Amino acid sequence: MSDTPEDRTVIVVGGGPAGLPFAAVLGGWHPYYRDSPILRQRYPQLVQALSSHTDSLLSLPFADFLRAGIPPVDLFRLLHHPRQLFENFEQIALEFRKNEAVDCLLLTQEEVGGLWNNVPQNLLTLSPGQWMEFAFYPLALHARETGARYNVNELIIKQRIIDYYHHVPERFEVQQSVHTWERVTKVEPHEAGFLVTAADVSAWKGRDPVALRRPAFPQPADAVEQSYPTRQYTCRYLVYAVGQRCELHALGVPGEELPFVTQYYEKPAHFPGERVLVVGGGRSADWAAAELHDAGKHVTYVMRQSSANHWGLINQSRGGLPYYARLAEILEDPSAGMEALYGANLTRIEASGEGGLVRLDVGGVERAIEVDHVLKEIGGRADYSLLQGFPTSLQLVEKHDNYRFQVHQAKVHPHTYESVDIPNLYPGGYLAEGLGLVVIAMHGTTYAIAADILRKEGKL
Ligand SMILES: Cc1cc2nc3c(=O)[nH]c(=O)nc-3n(C[C@H](O)[C@H](O)[C@H](O)COP(=O)(O)OP(=O)(O)OC[C@H]3O[C@@H](n4cnc5c(N)ncnc54)[C@H](O)[C@@H]3O)c2cc1C
């Protein structure tokens, strides 16, 4: 480790959809209001409030908007998406102009794009593709610039969304502000603001998630600071955008480490043999169970939740999402061969012959199922343990909704998203208290946070 920490103004931890836009916006790309016919038609009061505002929208009095019932995340959502479908660029009531940059360094432990790097190969988003875009770079513009041809209003497949996110640093000329494969291991108080310790985990780049049996990025238990070179930074402001999957959940049963048990699902080809037991019950498990079934596997789908709960989600989703319609069809057809076990808990996994034996408690009745593979799709949690030595800890509140969104969020001032407990620390995206609109809000905290930092730096 070098002795003198490198001093930066802002450090962003995490380069997913919540953290990545900071590289561009703090890199100087600021939003300005521009006329949008659809906004005028649908939100005339908003147009009245904004049309004479010729400065950057970062200088808006967000506290006043909040008092009028419009939190910053909603304000920018309305300006960006005044209607749900994309018809033309003119509907977006925002334009971005290049201003002076603020010194900002984004540290992320994998490629930019966050968890989308590790989702299944064929996974489709839950929402129209363009809901995943940043306002400063419409997906339709990206498609046009890269010669791709697809409908941005349709659900978008993993590779397209990841191509989009990977392209952002270069497109906005902020590559030098983005360090990929650098894992932050500790954030401590410092006279400059924060002391950030980070490990160079570029050795993880070539690791094979199939062999690893989990996505190829480090988790807290890997204690990478003991095995890889580390460096330190100081900064005045810290954006904490580490996402909801820093630490994957474990089942906590004997046998979980056996070689036929995996926490990584990309495609059925990685599952030779016939019998796959999928443990989970959320959207990732639903996707994997249906896809494995359609690839000819015999799937036992094991869930703790009740049938009523699971069918609540399926029925809510089967109208709009074709892969839920397919899952419903499979489960409704007894001859289809997928067995769903509700109210079920794994108690033990054992090696048996070429494969394994999974012991379960299904509503008080013991069962043993022979398998070739066990796939754990049981989610993960946000990791706040990196923050160490602060006089107050973050107050966390649990957030969940009917769409299976679940996270511990940190309490924030709702007009700036600054932590109420640690000054100048900003939980990004869904880690900020109150953010819940799951399919559109993950980068909604960007503008109010950037504005607060610029204001404190005297640059607004
Ligand atoms: C299977 C699945 C499907 C989903 N589908 C949708 C959808 O269709 N639409 C939608 O809007 N949302 C969807 N979501 C919600 C999803 O959470 C968001 O799309 C989005 O990825 C959240 O962005 P984020 O930046 O907060 O977190 P992430 O995408 O998780 O990114 C955080 C990044 O920070 C990195 N990181 C973590 N800790 C450290 C550290 N200590 N040091 C350095 N880097 C670190 C992580 O490795 C990761 O790259 C889905 C989620 C899942 C799991």
Side-chain angles (χ1 to χ4, degrees):
M1 181 168 15
S2 64
D3 292 335
T4 319
E6 184 180 321
D7 189 44
R8 310 299 299 239
T9 307
V10 185
I11 286 188
V12 179
V13 189
L20 180 57
F22 285 95
V25 175
L26 291 173
W29 292 97
H30 296 178
Y32 290 79
Y33 174 74
R34 76 165 182 203
D35 182 54
S36 147
I38 188 81
L39 189 82
R40 241 188 294 131
Q41 186 192 332
R42 294 196 175 171
Y43 304 100
Q45 282 175 308
L46 195 54
V47 170
Q48 204 180 6
L50 295 179
S51 52
S52 58
H53 193 90
T54 52
D55 289 342
S56 146
L57 295 178
L58 299 182
S59 63
L60 285 175
F62 292 122
D64 294 349
F65 277 85
L66 183 67
R67 272 191 289 275
I70 312 178
V73 60
D74 290 341
L75 174 64
F76 283 95
R77 179 170 51 81
L78 291 176
L79 297 172
H80 181 184
H81 299 280
R83 67 151 72 91
Q84 295 208 341
L85 290 186
F86 176 84
E87 279 179 14
N88 51 51
F89 294 110
E90 289 67 45
Q91 74 186 50
I92 302 175
L94 293 165
E95 69 178 25
F96 286 79
R97 296 184 210 148
K98 185 79 168 72
N99 286 267
E100 190 192 341
V102 172
D103 172 54
C104 166
L105 176 63
L106 186 152
L107 301 175
T108 195
Q109 63 182 2
E110 48 184 329
E111 297 300 334
V112 297
L115 62 78
W116 290 93
N117 287 292
N118 290 295
V119 299
Q121 179 175 274
N122 293 321
L123 187 77
L124 298 166
T125 52
L126 300 170
S127 53
Q130 42 95 11
W131 286 22
M132 310 296 292
E133 74 193 19
F134 304 133
F136 52 80
Y137 195 33
L139 191 60
L141 180 60
H142 171 72
R144 185 202 279 172
E145 287 177 357
T146 54
R149 292 176 68 82
Y150 53 84
N151 182 348
V152 299
N153 289 317
E154 287 177 0
L155 307 184
I156 184 169
I157 195 165
K158 177 246 181 96
Q159 195 54 50
R160 286 187 173 149
I161 193 71
I162 215 67
D163 285 347
Y164 169 83
Y165 290 138
H166 286 185
H167 193 56
V168 165
E170 186 194 329
R171 171 66 173 72
F172 291 88
E173 299 178 330
V174 291
Q175 306 98 307
Q176 67 291 350
S177 313
V178 176
H179 290 188
T180 54
W181 301 99
E182 203 168 322
R183 172 172 171 81
V184 171
T185 57
K186 220 185 316 180
V187 178
E188 297 163 282
H190 186 273
E191 58 191 15
F194 301 92
L195 176 66
V196 176
T197 306
D200 174 352
V201 294
S202 47
W204 279 68
K205 223 187 249 187
R207 295 191 77 168
D208 174 11
V210 178
L212 200 59
R213 294 185 279 119
R214 45 175 257 220
F217 59 79
Q219 294 191 32
D222 295 309
V224 292
E225 66 279 14
Q226 285 150 28
S227 330
Y228 299 102
T230 58
R231 60 202 288 199
Q232 290 194 305
Y233 305 90
T234 52
C235 59
R236 278 202 284 286
Y237 310 96
L238 191 115
V239 178
Y240 200 71
V242 295
Q244 299 148 256
R245 287 212 159 183
C246 307
E247 195 171 10
L248 296 177
H249 290 313
L251 291 166
V253 300
E256 195 169 354
E257 297 311 319
L258 286 165
F260 57 88
V261 183
T262 182
Q263 202 143 8
Y264 180 73
Y265 180 74
E266 186 186 345
K267 55 184 171 187
H270 293 151
F271 293 76
E274 279 189 357
R275 302 157 304 173
V276 186
L277 184 139
V278 178
V279 198
R283 292 193 182 272
S284 304
D286 286 342
W287 176 274
E291 198 177 51
L292 284 162
H293 169 88
D294 283 346
K297 308 291 171 194
H298 180 272
V299 175
T300 311
Y301 190 4
V302 176
M303 289 158 270
R304 272 204 311 228
Q305 67 187 328
S306 66
S307 163
N309 201 26
H310 192 214
W311 278 93
L313 179 69
I314 295 173
N315 286 329
Q316 207 172 36
S317 307
R318 66 195 293 180
L321 297 172
Y323 48 95
Y324 268 96
R326 178 66 191 136
L327 179 65
E329 194 177 73
I330 297 167
L331 290 173
E332 280 168 345
D333 176 3
S335 66
M338 184 192 291
E339 187 181 17
L341 299 176
Y342 296 103
N345 284 293
L346 267 72
T347 52
R348 173 179 283 277
I349 306 172
E350 297 164 9
S352 164
E354 299 277 286
L357 190 73
V358 177
R359 297 192 184 278
L360 302 156
D361 176 321
V362 188
V365 178
E366 277 188 29
R367 279 212 36 196
I369 297 176
E370 288 187 2
V371 297
D372 296 309
H373 303 274
V374 174
L375 171 62
K376 295 189 288 180
E377 284 288 3
I378 51 178
R381 64 174 78 85
D383 179 15
Y384 293 99
S385 71
L386 304 180
L387 301 164
Q388 293 171 19
F390 290 91
T392 43
S393 355
L394 293 183
Q395 295 173 67
L396 301 178
V397 283
E398 202 182 329
K399 174 89 183 177
H400 50 87
D401 69 13
N402 292 341
Y403 301 97
R404 299 303 150 92
F405 173 60
Q406 216 174 355
V407 66
H408 280 96
Q409 298 181 325
K411 277 189 170 289
V412 293
H413 298 289
H415 61 297
T416 58
Y417 303 115
E418 182 183 19
S419 159
V420 297
D421 302 300
I422 304 180
N424 296 332
L425 182 129
Y426 300 87
Y430 293 134
L431 301 194
E433 179 189 17
L435 263 78
L437 238 185
V438 74
V439 287
I440 215 161
M442 69 245 187
H443 42 83
T445 51
T446 310
Y447 304 106
I449 293 176
D452 203 45
I453 291 173
L454 285 164
R455 192 171 287 118
K456 287 175 179 170
E457 286 293 293
K459 295 197 167 168
L460 272 187

